[in-house]
Amino acid sequence: MSHVTSLRCRECSRDYPIEPINACEYCFGPLEVAYDYGSIARTVTRKSIAEGPHTIWRYHDFLPVEAENAVDLGTGFTPLLKANNLGQKLGLDNLYIKNDSVNPSFSFKDRPVSITTTKALEFEFEVLACVSTGNLMGSVAAHGAKSGMKTVVFFPGDLESGKIVGASVYGPTMVAVDGSYDQVNRLCSELADDLRWAFVNINMRPYYAEGSKTLGYEVAEQLGWRAPDNCVVPAASGELHTKIWKGLTELADVGLIDSARTNMHLAQPQGCSPIVQAFEKGSRVVQPVKADTIAKSLAIGDPAAGPYAVQTLQDTGGTAVAAPEDEIVEGIQLLAETEGIFTETAGGVVISGLRKLAESGAIKRDEVTVAFITGNGLKTQEVVSDIAKPINIRPTYKSFEENMAAYLKP
Ligand SMILES: *Cc1c(COP(=O)(O)O)cnc(C)c1O
Ligand SMILES: [Zn+2]
């Protein structure tokens, strides 16, 4: 049984019924799912969670849908890996990588989309839709296929081919729009007003946003039921950052962990860093920017949850960092070469940001630090394609000796 009580406006706290709506009629603030935490606390124990499936659905009591109906591809409970090699390079003794690039469609987006697709079926929608910076459409297409819904995805036409092909294979209707993400988003917001479609990140956004909380639960459980000292999170809309924090605070509220005293750090690429800029000005007003970055999955110039991400930074003592564009590929390589994990550009932004935070002393050597790797490198191969420089030989021993002489010297 779900413990949801209402949708609640994040600005004026007015309550709304559980419907496919995302904005307050009075103040236009975004709506968020509210729960009866007393009831959750009476139901959930560490043991009951541990007995659940090895997916996000082990936390179903904290989610806004009924788990029996879950559209489940096996999302979640991804590895939390101790990163000793990278830690040594950065001067961090307790560094962990949350490797969320191994989800079914190879990004963390499967978390919000699994929940939203389930909710869309509850609401009896027939069409699942989204506006995507790349990973979302792959996830929506996969869950659309599994659920049997018609699926339509909208995206800026200049996305990486790995993301376009990686979504197309599931058979959705793919709509490439000649414009930026922010322009596609405005178009889809108009469409969502008129069509009875479940746009996962527009009219379904309150349910969608809840999915990212599960990263907070998992990390705390995997650390032995404690919140880390630092999280380093990539941001596009800013939702992931705020919702990992919501997940950690909920665990403390229901007594599953002692307290959440985590510094919630945030990383954006220099070429699209409106949240970082607002934070540096000490302002919750996020000025839209024109995105120009190789980290296309983070290219949202007008971030929907930007003000709440700034608030989370301020409330938790986090720092916001912008990764220089020319350090993003370095970050991808550094993680691959030290820890054996191939991430996409968003992960390169996180590793570059992590390095800055360690160098500046914002993150201290002995603190437990989790860097969130949210997407898979096989989808953004074009940015690292010139790394591939194999030694070419003929299929003879002689050719091997001639070409590999340097490697055979003692
Ligand atoms: C979408 C995305 C993000 C950012 O998520 P927001 O909730 O919009 O901030 C981060 N990393 C990857 C790989 C993504 O696809
Ligand atoms: Zn309101």
Side-chain angles (χ1 to χ4, degrees):
M1 190 205 69
S2 142
H3 303 277
V4 172
T5 54
S6 65
L7 294 182
R8 187 164 296 154
C9 176
R10 272 168 119 167
E11 292 298 325
C12 74
S13 299
R14 272 193 179 80
D15 284 315
Y16 290 83
I18 301 302
E19 284 171 8
I21 50 174
N22 64 321
C24 176
E25 285 171 11
Y26 293 88
C27 75
F28 304 107
L31 304 181
E32 185 175 40
V33 181
Y35 299 84
D36 177 351
Y37 289 109
S39 155
I40 296 179
R42 285 188 297 278
T43 312
V44 181
T45 62
R46 291 179 181 180
K47 186 161 171 286
S48 72
I49 290 173
E51 286 167 0
H54 283 178
T55 65
I56 56 171
W57 297 100
R58 69 204 275 105
Y59 308 110
H60 67 90
D61 282 299
F62 294 90
L63 300 176
V65 286
E66 303 295 341
E68 307 83 79
N69 310 328
V71 180
D72 180 23
L73 298 174
T75 293
F77 223 68
T78 54
L80 181 73
L81 300 159
K82 185 86 197 292
N84 288 337
N85 300 335
L86 179 60
Q88 201 169 20
K89 284 228 148 98
L90 303 181
L92 299 174
D93 292 341
N94 282 305
L95 176 63
Y96 293 83
I97 299 292
K98 180 61 171 166
N99 184 10
D100 229 30
S101 70
V102 298
N103 274 308
S105 78
F106 311 105
S107 85
F108 89 92
K109 292 293 200 302
D110 289 329
R111 296 172 185 273
V113 173
S114 178
I115 288 159
T116 316
T117 309
T118 306
K119 198 72 194 171
L121 287 178
E122 275 182 29
F123 286 141
E124 300 184 342
F125 279 106
E126 285 166 10
V127 180
L128 193 66
C130 74
V131 44
S132 177
T133 58
N135 286 311
L136 183 59
M137 64 190 189
S139 185
V140 166
H143 287 84
K146 178 76 171 168
S147 71
M149 297 175 84
K150 278 195 208 131
T151 308
V152 187
V153 308
F154 296 81
F155 60 99
D158 69 346
L159 290 186
E160 302 93 340
S161 72
K163 292 194 176 156
I164 297 172
V165 175
S168 302
V169 71
Y170 302 108
T173 300
M174 304 279 298
V175 186
V177 183
D178 181 12
S180 69
Y181 175 87
D182 296 287
Q183 291 173 314
V184 186
N185 190 41
R186 272 194 292 280
L187 166 65
C188 288
S189 300
E190 283 178 48
L191 297 178
D193 285 340
D194 290 342
L195 303 171
R196 212 191 118 70
W197 291 3
F199 274 94
V200 304
N201 51 343
I202 302 178
N203 52 328
M204 295 293 284
R205 191 165 184 99
Y207 313 99
Y208 168 86
E210 293 295 283
S212 298
K213 296 192 305 185
T214 57
L215 269 167
Y217 309 145
E218 274 180 31
V219 162
E221 184 179 355
Q222 289 171 318
L223 288 172
W225 293 107
R226 57 160 295 184
D229 300 313
N230 300 284
C231 288
V232 184
V233 182
S237 71
E239 203 73 75
L240 173 66
H241 177 256
T242 65
K243 287 304 192 282
I244 290 174
W245 177 236
K246 184 178 180 188
L248 292 171
T249 53
E250 284 178 336
L251 291 185
D253 287 348
V254 302
L256 288 174
I257 60 174
D258 283 344
S259 63
R261 285 202 211 91
T262 308
N263 302 127
M264 291 294 304
H265 308 288
L266 172 154
Q268 293 197 291
Q270 189 84 59
C272 184
S273 48
I275 300 173
V276 180
Q277 289 169 24
F279 173 76
E280 284 174 352
K281 278 193 243 149
S283 169
R284 264 191 67 193
V285 180
V286 178
Q287 297 290 350
V289 302
K290 200 162 172 293
D292 180 15
T293 173
I294 65 162
K296 294 182 181 177
S297 56
L298 302 181
I300 299 184
D302 189 4
Y308 304 101
V310 174
Q311 176 111 52
T312 301
L313 284 159
Q314 292 169 340
D315 290 350
T316 66
T319 302
V321 285
E325 291 293 322
D326 59 4
E327 285 184 19
I328 296 172
V329 171
E330 272 174 49
I332 293 175
Q333 270 185 277
L334 182 60
L335 181 65
E337 291 175 1
T338 55
E339 297 298 334
I341 296 170
F342 182 18
T343 186
E344 68 146 86
T345 45
V349 168
V350 168
I351 300 302
S352 165
L354 173 68
R355 183 161 64 187
K356 281 194 178 26
L357 292 163
E359 276 167 10
S360 72
I363 294 179
K364 305 211 166 42
R365 178 178 277 277
D366 57 334
E367 291 174 342
V368 174
T369 298
V370 178
F372 289 81
I373 295 302
T374 49
N376 197 300
L378 290 172
K379 291 199 209 177
T380 61
Q381 290 190 50
E382 34 286 80
V383 299
V384 287
S385 55
D386 60 359
I387 289 171
K389 293 191 193 82
I391 301 165
N392 297 302
I393 70 170
R394 291 184 308 281
T396 63
Y397 203 100
K398 186 158 168 282
S399 176
F400 168 78
E401 279 184 318
E402 276 167 14
N403 290 286
M404 300 286 289
Y407 290 84
L408 296 174
K409 283 197 194 108

